[in-house]
Amino acid sequence: MAATACTPASDTPSAEGGSGGKPAARGSALAAVDALTVKGRAPKTGYEREKFGRAWADVDGNGCGTRDDILRRDLTGVRLTDGRCKVASGTLTDDPYTGTTVEYVRGRSKVDIDHVVALSDAWQKGAGKWDKDTRRRFANDPLNLLAVDSSTNRRKSDGDAATWLPPNKAYRCTYVARQVAVKKKYGVWVTGAERDAMKRVLKGCPQQKLP
């Protein structure tokens, strides 16, 4: 999984963007940030993973669950247990969050499938009012899913760009651009601090496109 070279101007996720950087290019992720609705975070009341449907449903009708679809997409050297869907093993050769190589073995995996925009974060920023079909699509949308190092993903928890960015600085532009794309697609809003953090990263790569 190739990382787009980009190092933000600061390591602090919530830092306000300073001077410098070229203006946002038309159609860029940086320009798209201004199209996102800015509101306060709603209460987490009522959030449950099950509100987004059964985990890793086969939403595309290919006969395989979403988790295995993403593993087959993101790993190299994939071996299947059933010859079709279930990934037995493989290698995450360039983990986007750490830049390291991570081995995947089914049942004792060090690889998670991360929701780039966490389900809990989405719930507090609009998804709590969606119908169940929209939440199910969101939870299984490949745009919002990445195979990543499990321990790093668990440190992220349900953080947004204001509270967590990948330790792999070279991936931060790509990561934030993906968050912007997901939030734009589904109408998930951002907090003021989150918007500022997104801009802080993307000002270092103003040509970065949405995925």
Side-chain angles (χ1 to χ4, degrees):
M1 186 183 298
T4 300
C6 163
T7 302
S10 169
D11 292 347
T12 305
S14 58
E16 179 67 38
S19 60
K22 298 178 182 177
R26 184 180 180 87
S28 68
L30 178 57
V33 174
D34 287 327
L36 301 177
T37 300
V38 179
K39 294 173 65 175
R41 184 185 295 272
K44 194 175 178 179
T45 307
Y47 168 74
E48 296 174 354
R49 171 62 179 84
E50 293 73 21
K51 296 287 181 69
F52 288 81
R54 181 174 62 83
W56 312 127
D58 177 20
V59 295
D60 61 3
N62 70 349
C64 303
T66 303
R67 176 181 172 79
D68 284 303
D69 285 342
I70 301 303
L71 288 171
R72 293 199 316 275
R73 184 193 71 182
D74 291 353
L75 301 182
T76 60
V78 169
R79 296 179 59 218
L80 304 176
T81 63
D82 59 357
R84 184 166 176 272
C85 287
K86 293 184 179 180
V87 177
S89 63
T91 303
L92 186 59
T93 56
D94 186 9
D95 168 43
Y97 289 176
T98 64
T100 62
T101 296
V102 185
E103 297 299 326
Y104 171 83
V105 179
R106 197 175 194 93
R108 46 193 174 92
S109 176
K110 294 181 180 179
V111 175
D112 279 353
I113 304 302
D114 181 39
H115 289 95
V116 177
V117 175
L119 302 185
S120 171
D121 181 59
W123 179 268
Q124 297 170 76
K125 297 171 182 173
K129 297 185 181 300
W130 295 350
D131 61 59
K132 63 181 182 180
D133 289 337
T134 302
R135 287 199 290 262
R136 183 171 178 264
R137 288 197 307 273
F138 180 86
N140 292 278
D141 189 337
L143 178 65
N144 193 32
L145 298 171
L146 287 175
V148 298
D149 172 67
S150 59
S151 60
T152 306
N153 180 48
R154 290 163 200 182
R155 285 194 292 273
K156 171 190 172 182
S157 186
D158 61 354
D160 61 23
T163 59
W164 189 90
L165 291 170
N168 179 16
K169 294 179 183 179
Y171 193 73
R172 289 182 179 179
C173 285
T174 304
Y175 174 78
V176 172
R178 187 174 288 265
Q179 285 197 325
V180 173
V182 171
K183 294 204 166 191
K184 182 173 183 288
K185 179 177 179 178
Y186 287 91
V188 178
W189 70 71
V190 295
T191 65
E194 183 183 3
R195 175 203 57 202
D196 293 346
M198 287 174 161
K199 287 190 170 185
R200 177 67 169 170
V201 172
L202 294 171
K203 280 179 180 177
C205 45
Q207 305 299 318
Q208 177 76 44
K209 299 293 187 182
L210 294 176

